[in-house]
Amino acid sequence: MTVLPGLIDAHVHLSGRADLEELARWGVTTGLDMGSWPRGFVDEMRAQKGVARIKSATIPAVGKGGRHAQMPGFPAEGIVTSPDEAKRFVERRVADGADFVKIVTEAAPPEGMDQPTVDALVRAAHDHGLLVVAHAVTTGAFRVAVEARVDVSTHAPLDAVLDDDTIAGMREIGMVSVPTLTMMEGTAKLLAPLGFRYEHARDTVTRFRDAGVDVLAGTDANSAPRAPFAPKHGESMHHELELLVAAGLTPAEAVRGATELPARVFGLAAGDDRMEVEGDPTVDITATRNIVGVWIGGERVR
């Protein structure tokens, strides 16, 4: 048997308590929510007991012409088109109690935000002491994020393997990666006719590891109606760990990316969340699936 900290999924989206129950059932005791609204719903999810805890970005910042802005029910206040709007957006996130700021760096206008607007979002968030997480699934989006000096990139490029200069820029500013290989694997299958390849994401993670860029485990688990792929809450975390190992991380590094590293990056307090498994996941990563018990706040929930 091995006892380890409860797992942290560094990229989830929530639709209700059932998602938190599934996370906990699979040993994920904390989920970092990368986009939920309205504030009342987020507060309700934060207050749930006996299930996974969450931290949330609340509403993400997106460009006016991109896919995110077209999602059913996406709030208009999340569409940011200028540096002035960027500052006001961050002020609203602070008022909503956001734990960090999520932005989407994708195509240039009219689909995505221009570089000055992304820069302004990052400056405003940092002025308020908040981390910035940037959604990026293309190499160009990564370059926008690096130039703006975001703190965390989420996803990995599907259009090509990320180049040496951009990876060096990430290392220089201390940016960490949440590659969500589970999501990239599922999305690449759907978008293969457009030239997107999962191997590009996988090989980019290999290069991150070799370059010393910290890699955190996150799945993009969701049940959004227009999402290109919907990893299952909790269960997908174990597949993510296996994909990280297949990309070149050692089992111990993958476990660290689901425990110690996200706790440090996102300032999560040490608590009484634990997971017991049969076997040793630092030797065989598939042992994380052999769950014997899960404790949240010292109380056994499985």
Side-chain angles (χ1 to χ4, degrees):
M1 302 292 180
T2 302
V3 175
L4 59 156
L7 303 180
I8 301 167
D9 190 330
H11 190 140
V12 301
H13 296 276
L14 303 174
S15 59
R17 179 182 169 90
D19 296 338
L20 302 179
E21 292 173 347
E22 280 299 290
L23 289 172
R25 191 167 77 86
W26 288 93
V28 180
T29 57
T30 302
L32 303 182
D33 169 52
M34 293 296 162
S36 290
W37 55 85
R39 177 177 177 173
F41 171 76
V42 176
D43 289 344
E44 180 184 352
M45 293 301 97
R46 286 174 170 151
Q48 298 297 309
K49 303 297 183 183
V51 292
R53 314 167 194 263
I54 69 158
K55 299 288 185 178
S56 180
T58 69
I59 300 170
V62 308
K64 66 179 180 180
R67 181 180 61 83
H68 291 80
Q70 310 306 318
M71 292 173 59
F74 186 82
E77 67 178 279
I79 299 173
V80 181
T81 61
S82 71
D84 287 341
E85 286 185 5
K87 184 176 180 180
R88 292 192 293 271
F89 170 85
V90 172
E91 290 170 349
R92 289 193 295 268
R93 300 290 69 73
V94 172
D96 277 351
D99 298 294
F100 41 85
V101 171
K102 167 79 177 298
I103 65 177
V104 174
T105 56
E106 283 304 311
E111 290 82 9
M113 298 177 288
D114 62 19
Q115 189 70 53
T117 300
V118 176
D119 294 348
L121 283 164
V122 175
R123 284 196 304 271
H126 287 171
D127 286 346
H128 286 281
L130 295 176
L131 290 176
V132 179
V133 181
H135 164 109
V137 298
T138 64
T139 51
F142 268 85
R143 296 184 188 107
V144 171
V146 170
E147 184 172 340
R149 304 182 71 86
V150 306
D151 305 290
V152 182
S153 66
T154 189
H155 307 309
L158 292 172
D159 59 329
V161 178
L162 200 58
D163 60 276
D164 289 339
D165 288 346
T166 304
I167 293 175
M170 293 175 63
R171 187 175 62 245
E172 179 182 347
I173 66 175
M175 185 191 297
V176 304
S177 168
V178 184
T180 67
L181 290 179
T182 297
M183 186 61 159
M184 298 299 95
E185 182 184 52
T187 301
K189 292 176 182 178
L190 296 175
L191 300 182
L194 301 179
F196 285 179
R197 298 288 182 270
Y198 171 71
E199 292 77 13
H200 295 151
R202 179 200 63 198
D203 294 350
T204 294
V205 171
T206 304
R207 300 188 77 178
F208 285 162
R209 193 263 183 184
D210 293 342
V213 173
D214 283 339
V215 176
L216 282 54
T219 64
D220 203 0
N222 72 88
S223 54
R226 291 185 62 181
F229 184 64
K232 294 182 179 180
H233 291 84
E235 181 181 3
S236 61
M237 185 60 160
H238 302 277
H239 184 54
E240 183 72 20
L241 294 173
E242 292 158 9
L243 290 177
L244 290 174
V245 171
L249 276 68
T250 67
E253 288 169 339
V255 170
R256 186 168 176 251
T259 53
E260 175 193 348
L261 287 181
R264 173 173 59 80
V265 170
F266 285 89
L268 305 178
D272 296 323
D273 298 349
R274 298 290 184 271
M275 175 185 180
E276 183 181 14
V277 300
E278 183 178 354
D280 184 352
T282 67
V283 176
D284 176 7
I285 196 61
T286 64
T288 62
R289 294 180 178 271
N290 305 329
I291 301 171
V292 176
V294 178
W295 291 260
I296 296 178
E299 298 294 328
R300 186 165 187 155
V301 299
R302 169 169 173 171

